[in-house]
Amino acid sequence: MAALFAETGHMRMSDTLETGFRGRPHGGSGTRARVSVAVVALSILFVAGAAWVRSHHSNAGTSGILKLGAVDAAIAEQSIGGDMPPSQAISVAPVARHVPQIRVEFESSDDLFAYMQSLEPAVRRGDAEAKWMVSRVYDYCSGYAMAPAAFARDTQVIREMAMRGSPAMAAARERVSHRCSRFVPQDDLSPRMIVVKRTEAAEAGSLAAEASLLATGKPVKQGEDYARDLVERVQESKDPDAYSALSPGMGIASSGRVSMTDQVAGTQFSELAWQLAACRLGLDCGPQSSLMTSYCANGGICSTDPSQDFTSFVYDAAIPRQGVDVVNAMVDSLMREKRKGQ
């Protein structure tokens, strides 16, 4: 997704972070304790053709060379210099669906430590949804909780740069700091523990956790048959969390996989399509949502308009003009999948 934002020339954080800045290393076990400013700077400087670490879906996720797929490249080549206003690009309004209260509370809570504590009784009962939401707290708060003081210092450095993207990124990081303020390094919200929590949730029956593990290269089962079956189960479920969790695995990471033949998969546009479908299915994709916050705080992918939701942001800044119909068709196909055979 970072490469798509770079292709259209929107919000490149290389415009806001100085190339020579070095993040401070941390002692202790030697494990990286946070997403440092150095990592953020390098990740955005590399969007023109190098690697970007996926931080939104899991800090335990894999990194890879992001390059435009054949379809993406053709569309981008045709559309250089042309952008379509978001109001013209969004073809279908979000679908009205019931969102479990436990997910609503995650998005609305100002104290994710207290929120996670409130889930403990359900977790002890083996509730899959509660375990999934615990893993989401770990994921969201990991960068801050591993080194709160260092996280705050880096936020201040970003703010003091006073460049184009500094205010948005600093605000996103402050939002994370506020919501995660009661966590400390001893709570061990590490990348390793994110995988542990996701695995526990998947074993309890969480489809979203299972999808997340596949997307980050740590599936609960191996084999192409399993991967295809899981993708089909996610499509049939119409679970917005599962769609969102699966999305990074349906982009370039799935290019060439036999199991993904005839699926919405294999290009950066297909990754966006899964995420946009999640928004349409009811995932909170608003300006203050964990989705928008994580993209900005962890990856430096920030909207210059603080009132912009994820869907508007994507159509405004990530998809070339001629790509709108392609992405809309992908999203529509994902939305229709459940009705096959009915």
Side-chain angles (χ1 to χ4, degrees):
M1 180 168 165
L4 282 171
F5 278 94
E7 192 71 29
T8 54
H10 288 262
M11 200 50 201
R12 300 183 195 181
M13 285 300 293
S14 56
D15 295 336
T16 67
L17 298 175
E18 294 179 358
T19 311
F21 186 85
R22 293 288 187 272
R24 290 173 293 280
H26 297 283
S29 65
T31 302
R32 183 172 298 279
R34 60 194 166 91
V35 180
S36 68
V37 171
V39 172
V40 174
L42 287 173
S43 69
I44 305 306
L45 288 171
F46 283 172
V47 296
W52 181 53
V53 179
R54 286 288 306 199
S55 300
H56 156 53
H57 288 282
S58 173
N59 286 331
T62 58
S63 62
I65 301 299
L66 294 183
K67 41 187 183 177
L68 291 175
V71 175
D72 298 343
I75 293 171
E77 185 177 355
Q78 295 170 13
S79 63
I80 291 176
D83 299 315
M84 176 174 287
S87 60
Q88 297 178 30
I90 302 170
S91 62
V92 182
V95 175
R97 289 180 179 272
H98 170 71
V99 178
Q101 185 63 25
I102 192 174
R103 297 182 184 179
V104 174
E105 291 171 354
F106 169 76
E107 293 289 350
S108 63
S109 175
D110 285 333
D111 184 348
L112 288 177
F113 183 87
Y115 168 77
M116 195 170 75
Q117 284 187 319
S118 73
L119 299 178
E120 288 183 1
V123 169
R124 287 195 295 270
R125 293 194 303 269
D127 184 90
E129 183 75 2
K131 290 185 175 184
W132 162 243
M133 297 312 298
V134 166
S135 79
R136 289 201 63 191
V137 173
Y138 270 60
D139 192 359
Y140 184 90
C141 292
S142 178
Y144 168 84
M146 293 290 286
F151 190 92
R153 287 196 298 270
D154 284 351
T155 300
Q156 184 62 28
V157 169
I158 292 169
R159 183 186 299 106
E160 290 174 353
M161 285 180 179
M163 295 184 181
R164 186 166 64 100
S166 296
M169 193 172 182
R173 291 172 64 89
E174 287 172 347
R175 194 175 308 125
V176 171
S177 297
H178 174 71
R179 301 184 73 206
C180 303
S181 62
R182 294 177 62 189
F183 287 106
V184 296
Q186 289 75 17
D187 291 321
D188 192 17
L189 272 62
S190 62
R192 179 186 68 85
M193 286 305 297
I194 295 171
V195 175
V196 168
K197 296 301 180 182
R198 291 268 156 93
T199 302
E200 291 175 355
E203 291 174 346
S206 169
L207 182 62
E210 195 178 351
S212 175
L213 290 168
L214 177 69
T216 55
K218 300 180 183 297
V220 297
K221 295 180 183 178
Q222 298 296 325
E224 293 299 299
D225 289 343
Y226 165 74
R228 184 176 182 85
D229 174 70
L230 177 55
V231 171
E232 291 175 349
R233 284 190 283 126
V234 170
Q235 286 184 262
E236 291 169 1
S237 74
K238 294 297 180 283
D239 178 348
D241 272 29
Y243 269 56
S244 180
L246 184 64
S247 63
M250 300 306 287
I252 295 297
S254 65
S255 178
R257 292 187 67 172
V258 175
S259 62
M260 299 304 162
T261 302
D262 74 19
Q263 298 288 335
V264 176
T267 73
Q268 290 167 340
F269 278 2
S270 52
E271 176 181 345
L272 288 175
W274 280 89
Q275 185 62 67
L276 291 168
C279 295
R280 201 185 288 181
L281 287 166
L283 186 76
D284 189 340
C285 298
Q288 304 295 312
S289 65
S290 61
L291 177 67
M292 286 289 280
T293 298
S294 295
Y295 266 117
C296 187
N298 297 333
I301 306 298
C302 311
S303 174
T304 55
D305 179 357
S307 67
Q308 201 167 43
D309 64 13
F310 183 81
T311 300
S312 298
F313 181 40
V314 166
Y315 281 112
D316 183 30
I319 302 176
R321 186 179 57 218
Q322 281 85 359
V324 170
D325 288 343
V326 173
V327 174
N328 280 341
M330 288 179 175
V331 176
D332 289 342
S333 72
L334 292 173
M335 301 292 290
R336 287 194 303 265
E337 189 68 23
K338 185 177 181 180
R339 292 191 283 275
K340 284 186 176 180
Q342 288 187 350

